[in-house]
Amino acid sequence: MDSHIPVEVELIYEVMPCNALRCSQDPVNEPHPCSYFRQWGTYNSYDYIKDGAPVNREIQQPSEYKGKSYLLPEVLSGCRKAPILCLGINPNLAGFWEAKRNSIYPLFDDFQQYAHYFRYRNTAKLALPEKKYVEYGGGKEDTPFSNKDLKVPANSKGIRQIPTELQNQEMYLAYQNLLDSLADRMNWKQHQLSVGEDISYGNMVACASAKWITQKDPAVPDMPPMTVKEKDGIVQECFFKRKYFVRQLIQTLPKIILIFSQTTANAFISTFKEAFTEGHPAVNESIESLLNRKIVLRLGALPGGEVATARIIFAPHITGDPVKFKASKAKIIDQLEEEAKSKNIRLNSHTGHLMRPPGSCTLCPSMQIGKCDYEHEIVSLTGNEKLYPETAVHLLKADKSHQYSMIEKLSNLKFVSRDWNEAKE
């Protein structure tokens, strides 16, 4: 398991090709559980025209249309050492719905571009401008199950170049609003708090669907529910065997984890129930009840005896249950404020961002996608040494060995499949 590659870099190389490998290199007469995600159909995709990592941090680059494709699995979005982590059960698939059919998805074959996209994606994804989308033949008939490419003309170089626009995501804008509300409560006047820098966001399972669904929805008959065998197989493969989320969690060591939806809450609580040190949530306990007390998760012991913990804040789904989220928002901000006042999260007045948690990170310089803006805050888990990402390979190896001991302890938890079912809300 220990490849001497930093965890945050290792995950880039493992997650990007994961679903394709699972679905193409397993016995043909015994479909892999993760092939379930292909039942959601294919989506308009793009790649950057120029090879290699973009020279700036924008995800909007000169792009070419690649046709309909299945989607790449997703890694964590944002800085890997952001002190606040927002968590869902699996990535959302906006393009499934008719109103968002002009959504366009990355189909990179370049690991640097993949790392760049998820490091610098903040509150927006990409879409075709609606007028161009219709001009290319998009519309009501352009469904995830049509498998028909848009009619994008090639230029003189044979490239089907397309215009793109930023498509703000309501969920991610709400994350930003939580940061702004926290800054207002704390009277941080000169802050630069932002999604992608102070909040990262990810999922317990890496592949996308429009809904984590285990029963047929009569209102949307096109949505394919998972069978019990598929659901159990997906969770076992992605979460327990490959430990994509747990490995990222331990490398990040967030101070706060925000968990959205009753479904995600049930899955998280059932999986980590032995690791809660305060608040002790119960599976199927309502979000309203969970928001009424402090809940803390033990992440592991650090060198020197310090214990790494994360404050867990449960919340209604921002877009799936907006009425309940609005009613609960004040309580969510109360808990964020409590963590700020207790100095569990702190503003760095020089950067305008929150201080990074302990532990190493070399994603940006190692993948050559940008300079680490926080290198002077990064501290090795092996001691008090400052960890400068470009030069501290020997410390990284020690950090990684320690991380794996924490991962094995935290992830050696009983698998209870029924608690990953779709919530009955």
Side-chain angles (χ1 to χ4, degrees):
M1 193 174 185
D2 188 356
S3 63
H4 300 296
I5 299 173
V7 171
E8 65 278 13
V9 176
E10 189 175 59
L11 286 169
I12 296 295
Y13 289 101
E14 289 185 30
V15 177
M16 178 175 146
C18 184
N19 191 274
L21 290 176
R22 303 285 80 74
C23 296
S24 64
Q25 296 186 1
D26 284 300
V28 295
N29 294 319
E30 188 126 356
H32 193 279
C34 296
S35 65
Y36 158 77
F37 290 106
R38 299 197 168 198
Q39 295 180 40
W40 287 91
T42 57
Y43 298 83
N44 293 307
S45 63
Y46 71 94
D47 194 3
Y48 296 148
I49 292 175
K50 188 175 180 181
D51 292 337
V55 296
N56 57 42
R57 299 186 177 194
E58 303 301 320
I59 65 168
Q60 194 175 12
Q61 301 287 334
S63 298
E64 61 177 317
Y65 180 68
K66 302 300 287 186
K68 286 290 186 76
S69 70
Y70 298 108
L71 302 188
L72 296 174
E74 296 196 7
V75 288
L76 188 76
S77 289
C79 174
R80 271 56 183 164
K81 298 305 292 182
I84 303 174
L85 168 63
C86 291
L87 184 65
I89 201 162
N90 73 313
N92 186 36
L93 187 51
F96 179 82
W97 307 104
E98 188 175 333
K100 292 288 182 73
R101 293 273 166 79
N102 65 324
S103 299
I104 192 161
Y105 293 89
L107 187 63
F108 303 132
D109 57 5
D110 183 312
F111 288 104
Q112 283 185 296
Q113 292 177 356
Y114 179 79
H116 177 279
Y117 176 83
F118 284 105
R119 168 58 183 90
Y120 297 119
R121 191 173 78 177
N122 42 58
T123 60
K125 298 180 184 179
L126 294 188
L128 289 166
E130 187 66 32
K131 185 177 179 180
K132 279 291 183 181
Y133 174 64
V134 172
E135 181 182 316
Y136 295 148
K140 192 172 183 178
E141 302 305 315
D142 180 36
T143 75
F145 309 108
S146 70
N147 289 336
K148 292 182 179 178
D149 290 353
L150 297 176
K151 297 175 182 178
V152 179
N155 62 20
S156 59
K157 297 181 179 179
I159 295 172
R160 292 189 290 175
Q161 186 164 358
I162 50 173
T164 61
E165 63 183 12
L166 294 175
Q167 184 187 73
N168 278 319
Q169 305 295 304
E170 188 177 345
M171 189 87 172
Y172 308 155
L173 291 176
Y175 295 166
Q176 182 63 49
N177 185 261
L178 289 175
L179 286 173
D180 293 339
S181 298
L182 170 63
D184 288 343
R185 289 275 193 96
M186 295 299 296
N187 199 29
W188 290 337
K189 299 295 187 185
Q190 304 302 318
H191 79 89
Q192 301 293 325
L193 301 186
S194 62
V195 174
E197 300 304 318
D198 303 288
I199 280 180
S200 62
Y201 53 93
N203 297 279
M204 297 174 75
V205 167
C207 287
S209 64
K211 189 176 182 181
W212 183 263
I213 183 172
T214 55
Q215 295 181 11
K216 198 78 174 174
D217 186 344
V220 193
D222 284 347
M223 286 202 300
M226 292 173 281
T227 65
V228 172
K229 184 177 180 181
E230 285 171 333
K231 171 179 61 66
D232 290 354
I234 290 164
V235 174
Q236 187 64 45
E237 179 78 28
C238 189
F239 190 90
F240 287 97
K241 180 181 178 181
R242 303 194 178 275
K243 298 180 173 67
Y244 292 150
F245 169 70
V246 176
R247 288 157 65 194
Q248 186 62 77
L249 175 67
I250 294 301
Q251 189 269 327
T252 297
L253 287 179
K255 295 293 187 178
I256 298 170
I257 303 176
L258 273 161
I259 295 175
F260 295 93
S261 88
Q262 190 72 55
T263 308
T264 313
N266 288 346
F268 191 89
I269 293 167
S270 70
T271 304
F272 295 108
K273 59 186 176 183
E274 304 301 327
F276 290 102
T277 60
E278 190 173 346
H280 303 288
V283 173
N284 291 323
E285 184 177 357
S286 71
I287 296 295
E288 291 79 7
S289 173
L290 293 168
L291 265 173
N292 285 329
R293 64 185 186 277
K294 183 177 181 178
I295 298 172
V296 178
L297 181 75
R298 177 189 171 97
L299 298 176
L302 301 178
E306 182 184 355
V307 175
T309 62
R311 174 75 175 266
I312 310 300
I313 303 175
F314 294 96
H317 199 280
I318 291 170
T319 56
D321 202 348
V323 174
K324 284 187 178 179
F325 176 76
K326 185 177 180 180
S328 302
K329 184 179 173 184
K331 287 186 177 181
I332 297 167
I333 298 167
D334 287 344
Q335 295 200 33
L336 292 172
E337 182 184 12
E338 186 179 332
E339 293 303 292
K341 286 184 173 178
S342 67
K343 306 297 184 184
N344 193 35
I345 53 173
R346 294 178 295 143
L347 184 71
N348 183 331
S349 59
H350 297 291
T351 66
H353 294 288
L354 298 175
M355 295 287 292
R356 306 295 101 172
S360 65
C361 185
T362 71
L363 179 73
C364 297
S366 291
M367 295 301 300
Q368 298 181 317
I369 59 173
K371 181 180 180 294
C372 176
D373 292 335
Y374 310 102
E375 63 179 11
H376 295 287
E377 295 181 25
I378 300 295
V379 178
S380 169
L381 290 173
T382 60
N384 294 322
E385 311 92 325
K386 288 288 183 182
L387 182 59
Y388 297 96
E390 292 85 349
T391 58
V393 175
H394 64 292
L395 292 179
L396 281 173
K397 291 181 180 178
D399 265 20
K400 186 169 181 180
S401 174
H402 188 74
Q403 287 171 351
Y404 274 136
S405 68
M406 294 168 70
I407 289 167
E408 291 306 318
K409 289 177 183 177
L410 187 61
S411 60
N412 187 25
L413 302 168
K414 187 177 180 181
F415 173 39
V416 185
S417 63
R418 62 181 175 83
D419 297 329
W420 283 68
N421 288 343
E422 180 189 4
K424 307 297 187 295
E425 295 186 65

